[in-house]
């Protein structure tokens, strides 16, 4: 296959971890030892007049001419869908202008998984839905061998008659069977230790795309890959999991402190305590899991000075409405304990959620003020309707004037961080783009899946 087949992974700041995992998967698969894997860093926005956008187009054309078959792979989220639409349109036009027909464009990630039909409409040939560890290698093998993939589970595409086809969900993945990053290409990522979520927060894609049943990488497997990363020059170790302190919990709620300690003790021995981070970015913890035992373990084996708590609202009514599974009381108690143990408590809030009343907003403002006076810091977000969630058809979030004023005041005091302003703009842009895309959908596809704001 050397010199005949290649894959180009298009890298953005938001998908580099995903690409590290996918690269590791292909490198570990015996079928792709001679596959050429290329990477191209794309511009942040990738508008048509961006120089790096033009570089991407030229790179695709050059690779297409150098190989018998080229696969161009994208992974993106709903906030990136508008920019991705411009990029894919430009690629299709460039390939048409050059009369190039040996390129297959594939896409995966949260947005394509939640809206496969819309993603195909953007110009993607094949969408990989949900977990790609098993599906991607099988799909690539068929593409490179010019074989059909109609019976392959976990994909969506338009067939030769322009009819939309979804092959059904692929089997759930066992994390122990797959690498968490690429050692060969030195493309590292936070080590994913758990997948899925037992809670069904209506704004979050995780439980609806990855399942409500929690799955975990075993302690032995985690230590194996931690050692692999350390030997390859990986300096610090961070983790990826929906809720850090419930590692090993089948129901996602019960704490297994023995397993948690085995994990943290093991990785601390490999990396050294000063290079292990747990419960901080890119992970977080649920407030009800913060207690003396969990914090003592982090204090003993890890070096991070902050822990992120998911609160999302200061209104108990709203927390119940979006199925958070906890109230403001648990959040306050968690902040108290974190401060007692000397941690910076970073508390997530989402503003502009559907159904939020003036009273809910007032309660959230009061709660944020209370927490910041205690010493916590607000991590601010604006609500964005994400495809595949119960709130996918809701209106994009609008941050109220009162909330804006408080967030700006807190930022001046160093008590707030986040990108709520950009997210408010992007939420509107993405929603409008998806609505326009649905309106432009060919008649024969309009009945398959609709995108309509409530």
């Amino acid at each position: 296959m050397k010199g005949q087949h290649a894959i180009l992974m298009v890298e953005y700041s938001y998908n580099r971890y995903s690409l590290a995992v996918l690269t590791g998967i292909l490198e570990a698969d015996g079928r792709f030892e001679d596959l050429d894997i290329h990477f191209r860093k794309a511009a942040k926005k990738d508008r048509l007049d961006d120089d790096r956008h033009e570089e991407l187009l030229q790179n695709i054309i050059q690779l297409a001419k150098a190989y018998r078959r080229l696969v161009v792979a994208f992974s993106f989220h709903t906030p990136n869908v508008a920019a991705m639409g411009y990029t894919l349109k430009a690629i299709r036009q460039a390939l048409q202008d050059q009369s190039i027909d040996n390129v297959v464009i594939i896409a995966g990630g949260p947005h394509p998984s939640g809206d496969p039909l819309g993603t195909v409409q953007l110009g993607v040939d094949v969408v990989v839905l949900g977990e790609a560890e098993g599906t991607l290698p099988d799909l690539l093998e068929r593409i490179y061998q010019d074989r059909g993939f109609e019976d392959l589970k976990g994909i969506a595409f338009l067939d030769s008659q322009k009819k939309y086809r979804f092959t059904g969900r692929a089997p759930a993945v066992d994390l122990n069977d797959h690498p968490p990053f690429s050692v060969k290409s030195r493309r590292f990522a936070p080590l994913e230790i758990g997948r899925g979520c037992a809670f069904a927060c209506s704004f979050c894609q995780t439980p609806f795309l990855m399942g409500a049943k929690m799955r975990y990488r075993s302690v032995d497997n985690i230590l194996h890959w931690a050692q692999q990363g350390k030997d390859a020059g990986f300096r610090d170790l961070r983790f990826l999991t929906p809720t850090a302190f419930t590692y090993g919990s089948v129901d996602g709620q019960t704490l297994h402190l023995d397993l948690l300690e085995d994990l943290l003790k093991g990785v601390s021995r490999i990396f050294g305590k000063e290079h292990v981070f747990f419960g901080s970015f890119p992970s977080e913890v649920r407030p009800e899991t913060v207690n003396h035992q969990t914090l003592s373990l982090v204090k003993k084996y890890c070096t991070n000075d902050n822990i992120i708590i998911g609160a999302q609202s200061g209104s108990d009514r709203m927390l119940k409405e979006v199925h958070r599974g906890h109230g403001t009381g648990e959040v306050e108690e968690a902040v108290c304990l974190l401060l007692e143990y000397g941690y910076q408590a970073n508390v997530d809030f989402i503003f502009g959620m559907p159904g939020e009343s003036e009273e809910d907003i007032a309660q959230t403002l009061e709660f944020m003020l209370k927490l910041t006076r205690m010493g916590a810091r607000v991590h601010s977000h604006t609500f964005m309707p994400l495809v595949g969630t119960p709130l996918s058809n809701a209106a994009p979030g609008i941050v109220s004037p009162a909330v804006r004023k408080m967030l700006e005041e807190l930022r001046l005091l160093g008590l707030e961080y986040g990108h709520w302003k950009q997210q408010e703009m992007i939420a509107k842009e993405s929603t409008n783009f998806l609505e326009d895309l649905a309106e432009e959908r060919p008649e024969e596809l309009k009945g398959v899946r609709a995108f309509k704001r409530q």
Side-chain angles (χ1 to χ4, degrees), residues 76 78 81-82 84-86 88-89 107 110-127 129 156-158 164-166 387 430 433-442 445-446 448-451:
F76 60 98
T78 298
V81 66
M84 193 58 57
Y86 300 127
L88 291 167
K89 181 178 180 180
H111 184 86
S113 296
D115 184 20
L117 175 59
T119 303
V120 168
Q121 190 182 347
L122 292 178
V124 170
D125 293 305
V126 187
V127 174
L129 285 81
F157 57 94
L158 294 183
Y164 176 72
R165 299 281 299 277
F166 167 53
V387 294
S430 300
F433 179 87
L434 290 171
E435 288 181 337
D436 291 342
L437 189 69
E439 288 298 318
E440 296 167 4
R441 189 161 294 161
L445 296 177
K446 282 193 174 181
V448 177
R449 190 173 195 274
F451 185 93

Side-chain angles (χ1 to χ4, degrees), residues 22-91:
L22 296 177
T23 303
I25 291 166
L26 295 181
E27 290 174 348
D29 194 303
R31 292 171 287 180
F32 302 101
E33 292 180 358
D34 295 325
L35 175 66
D36 289 347
I37 302 177
H38 298 269
F39 300 90
R40 164 60 67 182
K41 285 188 177 181
K44 187 173 183 181
K45 285 293 185 181
D46 244 0
R47 299 299 187 186
L48 295 179
D49 58 353
D50 192 286
D51 289 340
R52 293 179 72 179
H53 185 280
E54 292 302 322
E55 289 178 11
L56 173 61
L57 298 181
Q58 291 304 314
N59 194 213
I60 292 172
I61 292 170
Q62 291 168 4
L63 291 174
K65 291 179 178 179
Y67 292 92
R68 188 178 75 82
R69 179 74 70 190
L70 172 67
V71 171
V72 180
F74 291 92
S75 176
F76 60 98
H77 303 73
T78 298
N80 320 112
V81 66
M84 193 58 57
Y86 300 127
T87 299
L88 291 167
K89 181 178 180 180
I91 292 173

Side-chain angles (χ1 to χ4, degrees), residues 308-362:
I308 303 176
I309 306 172
Q312 318 313 352
S313 177
S315 161
D316 284 310
R317 187 193 74 83
M318 282 301 300
L319 292 175
K320 184 176 181 180
E321 190 73 18
V322 299
H323 309 294
R324 273 297 293 173
H326 66 76
T328 56
E330 289 95 326
V331 176
E332 185 176 346
E333 290 174 9
V335 168
C336 286
L337 271 176
L338 287 172
L339 297 174
E340 179 183 330
Y341 275 76
Y343 286 105
Q344 171 65 63
N346 294 325
V347 187
D348 278 344
F349 282 90
I350 302 175
F351 307 108
M353 285 198 288
E356 199 173 43
S357 68
E358 290 296 327
E359 183 178 355
D360 295 322
I361 293 172

Side-chain angles (χ1 to χ4, degrees), residues 68-333:
R68 188 178 75 82
R69 179 74 70 190
L70 172 67
V71 171
V72 180
F74 291 92
S75 176
F76 60 98
H77 303 73
T78 298
N80 320 112
V81 66
M84 193 58 57
Y86 300 127
T87 299
L88 291 167
K89 181 178 180 180
I91 292 173
R92 285 299 181 194
Q93 187 61 55
L95 295 177
Q96 181 179 326
D97 292 344
Q98 295 283 329
S99 299
I100 293 173
D101 61 1
N102 65 331
V103 174
V104 178
I105 300 175
I106 66 174
H111 184 86
S113 296
D115 184 20
L117 175 59
T119 303
V120 168
Q121 190 182 347
L122 292 178
V124 170
D125 293 305
V126 187
V127 174
V128 177
L129 285 81
E131 302 172 304
E133 284 90 343
T135 307
L136 178 62
D138 289 343
L139 174 63
L140 291 181
E141 181 183 43
R142 295 182 185 216
I143 290 174
Y144 293 134
Q145 294 181 359
D146 297 320
R147 293 164 50 201
F149 41 70
E150 292 81 4
D151 61 333
L152 179 62
K153 292 293 185 182
I155 62 172
F157 57 94
L158 294 183
D159 64 18
S160 58
Q161 304 300 315
K162 301 299 180 183
K163 182 179 179 180
Y164 176 72
R165 299 281 299 277
F166 167 53
T167 61
R169 291 283 179 180
V173 165
D174 184 340
L175 293 179
N176 293 305
D177 293 338
H178 304 282
F181 44 68
S182 164
V183 174
K184 181 180 178 181
S185 295
R186 295 179 58 79
R187 287 185 167 267
F188 298 117
L191 204 164
E192 184 181 20
I193 61 174
R195 186 176 289 181
C197 185
F199 298 88
C201 301
S202 52
F203 53 80
C204 179
Q205 288 176 312
T206 298
F208 304 101
L209 297 183
M210 299 301 181
K213 183 178 180 180
M214 296 296 300
R215 288 164 285 153
Y216 301 95
R217 198 178 290 275
S218 70
V219 172
D220 287 344
N221 192 267
I222 291 169
L223 299 185
H224 165 78
W225 286 109
Q227 188 65 62
Q228 291 286 307
K230 175 68 174 177
D231 293 344
F234 199 12
R235 182 177 182 275
D236 295 322
L237 185 63
R238 298 176 187 273
F239 299 90
L240 188 63
T241 180
T243 171
F245 289 160
T246 56
Y247 172 74
S249 174
V250 176
D251 62 11
Q253 304 177 54
T254 306
L255 298 179
H256 293 278
L257 298 175
D258 54 342
L259 283 176
L260 185 60
E261 182 164 20
D262 288 345
L263 186 163
L264 296 179
K265 181 192 295 184
V267 296
S268 178
R269 185 180 298 119
I270 293 169
F271 271 83
K273 174 182 176 179
E274 65 274 17
H275 296 291
V276 177
F277 298 80
F278 195 79
S280 57
F281 180 83
S283 294
E284 64 177 39
V285 304
R286 288 182 59 87
E288 68 272 24
T289 66
V290 176
N291 59 37
H292 289 287
Q293 293 91 340
T294 52
L295 294 184
S296 294
L297 290 176
V298 178
K299 203 75 174 177
K300 184 175 182 180
Y301 297 113
C302 307
T303 193
N304 46 293
D305 61 2
N306 74 92
I307 288 178
I308 303 176
I309 306 172
Q312 318 313 352
S313 177
S315 161
D316 284 310
R317 187 193 74 83
M318 282 301 300
L319 292 175
K320 184 176 181 180
E321 190 73 18
V322 299
H323 309 294
R324 273 297 293 173
H326 66 76
T328 56
E330 289 95 326
V331 176
E332 185 176 346
E333 290 174 9

